[in-house]
Amino acid sequence: MALSTHRTTTALLRHLTPAVSYLRHISTDSTSTITVETSVPFTGHKIEPPSRSVDTTAQELMSFFRDMALMRRMEIAADSLYKAKLIRGFCHLYDGQEAVAVGMEAAITRKDCIITAYRDHCIFLGRGGTLLESFSELMGRKDGCSKGKGGSMHFYKKEGGFYGGHGIVGAQIPLGCGLAFAQKYKNDENVTFTLYGDGAANQGQLFEALNMAALWDLPAILVCENNHYGMGTAEWRAAKSPAYYKRGDYVPGLKVDGMDALAVKQACRFAKEHALKNGPIILEMDTYRYHGHSMSDPGSTYRTRDEISGVRQERDPIERVRKLLLAYDIANEKELKDIEKEARKQVDEAIAKAKESPLPEPSELFTNVYVKGYGVESFGADRKEIRAALP
Amino acid sequence: MFGIISHKLVASTAGGSPGQPILRAAVLAMMSNYSTATKQIMVREALNSALDEEMAADPTVFLMGEEVGEYEGAYKVRFVNSPLTPVSKGLLRKYGPQRVVDTPITEAIDHIINSAAKTNYMSAGNINVPIVFRGPNGPAAGVGAQHSQISSHWYSSCPGLKVLAPYSSEDARGLLKTAIRDPDPVVFLENELLYGESFPVSDEVLDSSFCLPIGKAKIEKEGKDVTITAFSRMVGYALKAAEILEKEDLEAEVINLRSIRPLDRSLINNSVRKTNRLVTVEEGFPQHGVGAEICASVVEENFNYLDAPVERISGADAPMPYAANLERLALPQVEDVVRAARRACYRSVPTATTA
């Protein structure tokens, strides 16, 4: 199998400039503003891009580090659980892409909505989900966020503004535009971030939904998490134009370094302002997943190990923030290592607790089919043996 | 938040053809089960009034679909003597463009099955989907193969969906109002050819609180010799067949299913326990159809009560042809229902040979 990855590899390693353009010894006041330049400037399509100088604080950078470390640990632990056959079916891991989740959260509130596809564990965490709910759900236990009935691809948290968790590629895009429709209908000054991948980016339903969003000026922000591979197909083999931020045509777009949490935050804040005034905008997050598409994909038949380790070396989102924290003297090596150890501990504890969570009761097969079931009858495999009245 | 999507389950052409049998006379003759009828309204008026009342009562209810707004609905009456009352008439003017939204054309079965039907379950009750997907479904007249498909049995095989099929104006009003108020996704299958039919309605039906329960069928005409189940347009055919059978001293009990999912199994089974014979009628394709499910249900629950094999009348097992004579052969006719009822009552012997 010929792999012409050289071109793509160098493209991915383009952002070699160090994260910090100047070093400063700052006071220990964790909320005073630090201004950092993003790794690369933003590129705009039919819009003036925001500045690459991002305001942040020591507190925010620490929370980025902590949250991303937790997300990273969770995904790696999920890998082991899957291999131990405690997680079944599909499992799509997000490690490498954490900056998109934390950067977005930093720019929005829980009243804004996020909807994504099946690579949803970390977004769920960002929206207020707990490790216990996550691992329990992955292992199909009753303490899972969907009571064990959803699985890896169906995490939800309506109270946190998270609308899932969807298995059908691209289906979440029209749903996300629908959420934006509701927000506009209710006039509540909130926006919806609809996440999708480079694989979904060529789907017809995206363009149908985008047309409506633009026609009606909906506060919809379409975010293409471009990790450059739709399952095993590289973007240049799937899209005539892999410049996904331009694909909206009449809808403006922004290309963002998705491995830089601060760039993501800047872009999302910019996009929210834009969407509330002018309707939809597309954000293309240039990101990367270390794992294969899912646990059944080794991830190395369509890309080289050099490419993967290259990105990990040069662009890892957690490393970028670590360098910032060290450079600004916000924390030292040991403190950061301790945070990572703590993350590991939290994950291990959550897994142990989740393992104790029981499987759902058999009667749960028939709950939540409807909100109002009117006592209608439903049947098990042997309808003379098992019947249930839907509550 | 509620939404009604007037999704054309069959894509649009304004229907209605003068060649269609006029069933109004037959229906008026069968008035025995309608409570004191004071007024006649067309099905499309019934639907329009239901939409209007529910939108007035709840500001979170909105209507969205192709041609529902400025065009006031794609299915307008062509009969000369009838006023133009398309289903969403007047709603845009009354509620404004925020609540009556014209959409560009878009087709999506996947969302009904995979997003709407399953979200409440996958999220263990966290997120529900209170949408009504309404629109004309099934063959009209001369619209050809791609525009004549009935999807009642496809949607009805999905847990998580509720599927309703009104026949009369009373059904249309009551079921649509219930559907709009229901917190689950409802597929509401109207029939283009019924839009222009008038039915008598009582004051109770015209009241703004009138709702019909989901999951309950209606006995349109009581009888003791054979049970005939039908839904949507076929109810009219079943009633006409019952009239003919009456002359042969066979009293058919005609059941208007109203709700395809959930199916009113207990009413159907009770009826068969009384009559001991069953004929199911539907316009859709036979394989895995509504009749198949009803037959299975009755055989499982009341095998010993059946005095004859269950008879199924359905659309022909072929794509819908265009030529008028072939189209007539492809759809159930009243004489088919009569013949099947006679067979079930052992008044005639089946003549079709198998290959």
Side-chain angles (χ1 to χ4, degrees):
Chain A
M1 186 192 304
L3 290 169
S4 337
T5 53
H6 177 72
R7 182 176 61 146
T8 45
T9 306
T10 45
L12 290 166
L13 296 182
R14 213 176 25 226
H15 319 290
L16 293 180
T17 50
V20 179
S21 49
Y22 42 86
L23 304 177
R24 230 179 46 212
H25 191 92
I26 53 156
S27 69
T28 48
D29 175 5
S30 64
T31 54
S32 65
T33 309
I34 309 171
T35 307
V36 180
E37 292 242 302
T38 63
S39 58
V40 286
F42 299 98
T43 330
H45 165 74
K46 302 216 166 138
I47 195 166
E48 199 51 49
S51 151
R52 63 188 286 201
S53 297
V54 187
D55 286 340
T56 182
T57 63
Q59 195 178 52
E60 181 172 74
L61 289 173
M62 285 298 282
S63 80
F64 280 178
F65 187 84
R66 213 170 272 123
D67 292 341
M68 288 199 282
L70 205 64
M71 289 174 180
R72 179 68 57 93
R73 259 300 115 205
M74 175 179 71
E75 295 296 77
I76 292 177
D79 174 303
S80 309
L81 288 175
Y82 192 91
K83 288 177 173 140
K85 295 204 163 49
L86 284 162
I87 299 178
R88 308 173 313 120
F90 292 130
C91 189
H92 307 85
L93 299 175
Y94 200 71
D95 50 315
Q97 299 184 213
E98 300 91 346
V100 177
V102 299
M104 189 174 289
E105 285 300 332
I108 64 178
T109 72
R110 293 276 165 80
K111 295 237 165 66
D112 296 307
C113 300
I114 300 183
I115 189 171
T116 186
Y118 40 75
R119 209 176 296 277
D120 57 347
H121 311 156
C122 298
I123 306 268
F124 170 72
L125 228 55
R127 292 266 87 187
T130 67
L131 288 171
L132 179 62
E133 285 176 312
S134 175
F135 285 115
S136 303
E137 188 59 38
L138 287 172
M139 294 195 277
R141 309 295 174 95
K142 74 195 267 212
D143 291 316
C145 51
S146 298
K147 297 202 213 143
K149 300 192 338 179
S152 163
M153 300 189 286
H154 305 298
F155 285 23
Y156 303 85
K157 200 169 240 330
K158 189 170 177 180
E159 336 55 283
F162 180 51
Y163 285 80
H166 296 271
I168 306 295
V169 173
Q172 75 278 13
I173 303 171
L175 296 182
C177 293
L179 287 169
F181 182 95
Q183 287 168 326
K184 179 152 184 151
Y185 190 100
K186 293 198 251 181
N187 240 322
D188 58 15
E189 296 292 294
N190 296 319
V191 298
T192 297
F193 286 80
T194 301
L195 278 53
Y196 59 98
D198 46 293
N202 302 308
Q203 283 239 329
Q205 57 186 321
L206 189 163
F207 298 95
E208 291 180 40
L210 190 61
N211 177 44
M212 292 191 229
L215 205 53
W216 301 327
D217 288 320
L218 302 181
I221 299 153
L222 271 66
V223 181
C224 179
E225 291 185 283
N226 183 8
N227 58 25
H228 308 282
Y229 298 93
M231 225 154 67
T233 304
E235 60 184 330
W236 52 272
R237 286 210 304 132
K240 180 70 178 173
S241 162
Y244 300 107
Y245 71 109
K246 290 190 186 164
R247 295 281 290 277
D249 181 19
Y250 44 83
V251 170
L254 207 61
K255 184 157 177 179
V256 185
D257 178 5
M259 307 296 265
D260 180 348
L262 290 171
V264 172
K265 173 183 139 176
Q266 183 88 316
C268 290
R269 189 171 39 205
F270 176 79
K272 176 171 173 172
E273 251 180 69
H274 180 274
L276 283 172
K277 276 203 305 271
N278 308 317
I281 181 170
I282 296 183
L283 297 179
E284 180 186 335
M285 302 289 179
D286 184 352
T287 183
Y288 200 83
R289 51 166 165 81
Y290 296 138
H291 268 88
H293 162 74
S294 71
M295 285 305 298
S296 58
D297 169 27
S300 50
T301 55
Y302 47 86
R303 47 185 196 173
T304 62
R305 292 190 201 278
D306 282 344
E307 178 189 290
I308 304 170
S309 54
V311 175
R312 206 189 273 275
Q313 191 122 337
E314 307 293 338
R315 298 180 63 206
D316 184 272
I318 301 178
E319 287 316 302
R320 182 187 301 276
V321 175
R322 189 199 305 272
K323 286 198 188 91
L324 274 174
L325 291 169
L326 293 174
Y328 281 93
D329 225 8
I330 299 169
N332 60 36
E333 290 273 8
K334 177 170 183 311
E335 287 167 332
L336 296 180
K337 277 264 169 331
D338 284 344
I339 291 178
E340 287 177 304
K341 274 208 205 99
E342 175 63 28
R344 198 171 191 142
K345 179 160 161 281
Q346 279 182 35
V347 164
D348 289 341
E349 276 169 12
I351 291 178
K353 200 139 178 262
K355 279 180 179 165
E356 282 168 30
S357 172
L359 293 169
E361 294 293 315
S363 59
E364 289 286 345
L365 175 62
F366 297 108
T367 58
N368 311 123
V369 176
Y370 295 126
V371 174
K372 260 164 101 173
Y374 304 108
V376 150
E377 248 187 341
S378 188
F379 307 94
D382 182 344
R383 54 208 289 143
K384 302 260 163 116
E385 266 294 297
I386 300 184
R387 298 194 158 191
L390 296 184
Chain B
M1 180 170 176
F2 293 92
I4 312 166
I5 296 186
S6 282
H7 184 90
K8 283 211 245 311
L9 299 158
V10 170
S12 78
T13 47
S17 127
Q20 284 303 311
I22 307 287
L23 298 177
R24 243 171 283 179
V27 170
L28 286 175
M30 298 288 150
M31 256 169 62
S32 51
N33 267 342
Y34 293 108
S35 37
T36 35
T38 52
K39 207 181 161 198
Q40 289 255 338
I41 60 171
M42 273 196 248
V43 170
R44 57 163 39 88
E45 267 179 75
L47 293 167
N48 180 270
S49 62
L51 286 170
D52 193 352
E53 286 161 23
E54 294 305 305
M55 289 180 74
D58 185 343
T60 65
V61 174
F62 66 96
L63 177 63
M64 165 184 263
E66 296 170 26
E67 311 294 7
V68 296
E70 295 189 13
Y71 199 66
E72 295 197 314
Y75 290 90
K76 302 182 168 75
V77 185
R78 281 242 202 96
F79 297 110
V80 172
N81 295 326
S82 313
L84 281 174
T85 48
V87 179
S88 51
K89 181 186 172 80
L91 295 178
L92 174 62
R93 209 178 332 119
K94 185 166 176 184
Y95 295 104
Q98 196 211 16
R99 297 186 64 196
V100 180
V101 185
D102 279 319
T103 59
I105 299 180
T106 167
E107 320 272 349
I109 259 195
D110 170 71
H111 278 284
I112 300 177
I113 309 293
N114 279 321
S115 302
K118 300 178 183 174
T119 296
N120 197 59
Y121 192 82
M122 294 191 296
S123 71
N126 190 239
I127 299 180
N128 71 313
V129 183
I131 302 185
V132 176
F133 298 95
R134 60 159 285 266
N137 188 237
V143 291
Q146 293 178 337
H147 290 80
S148 303
Q149 189 94 23
I150 283 232
S151 25
S152 51
H153 48 298
W154 292 356
Y155 290 126
S156 303
S157 64
C158 290
L161 287 182
K162 291 171 178 167
V163 182
L164 303 176
Y167 163 61
S168 62
S169 297
E170 177 180 326
D171 290 352
R173 262 186 68 77
L175 292 175
L176 186 56
K177 283 157 95 50
T178 300
I180 294 170
R181 296 180 194 188
D182 195 276
D184 293 306
V186 181
V187 175
F188 194 82
L189 303 173
E190 300 161 8
N191 184 290
E192 190 196 328
L193 296 174
L194 283 178
Y195 282 151
E197 292 283 320
S198 283
F199 293 85
V201 286
S202 67
D203 287 337
E204 192 201 338
V205 172
L206 292 172
D207 186 76
S208 67
S209 64
F210 177 70
C211 277
L212 285 173
I214 291 183
K216 296 279 176 247
K218 180 186 178 194
I219 297 177
E220 294 284 347
K221 176 193 168 296
E222 281 183 23
K224 59 172 179 44
D225 294 317
V226 58
T227 299
I228 304 179
T229 64
F231 60 96
S232 188
R233 194 146 165 268
M234 293 291 107
V235 177
Y237 282 39
L239 288 168
K240 195 114 216 282
E243 227 185 49
I244 295 171
L245 289 165
E246 189 128 357
K247 301 199 179 81
E248 299 169 23
D249 265 338
L250 285 176
E251 282 175 42
E253 178 149 286
V254 176
I255 297 179
N256 172 3
L257 292 177
R258 284 182 167 173
S259 181
I260 316 295
R261 184 176 186 109
L263 204 53
D264 195 345
R265 296 170 202 275
S266 68
L267 187 141
I268 297 166
N269 275 285
N270 283 340
S271 175
V272 175
R273 271 196 290 274
K274 183 171 73 168
T275 65
N276 310 121
R277 295 157 206 278
L278 174 62
V279 176
T280 68
V281 186
E282 65 197 290
E283 282 184 291
F285 299 131
Q287 190 158 336
H288 311 298
V290 177
E293 176 62 32
I294 293 176
C295 173
S297 175
V298 167
V299 165
E300 283 161 2
E301 304 290 327
N302 291 291
F303 180 72
N304 292 313
Y305 284 86
L306 283 170
D307 285 346
V310 176
E311 297 280 346
R312 278 188 298 169
I313 294 297
S314 68
D317 205 7
M320 179 65 68
Y322 169 65
N325 63 325
L326 293 181
E327 186 183 57
R328 198 178 185 283
L329 282 175
L331 288 171
Q333 304 300 333
V334 176
E335 52 258 33
D336 295 314
V337 182
V338 172
R339 197 185 314 115
R342 284 188 194 127
R343 279 201 304 262
C345 297
Y346 292 132
R347 298 296 181 87
S348 75
V349 179
T351 54
T353 50
T354 48

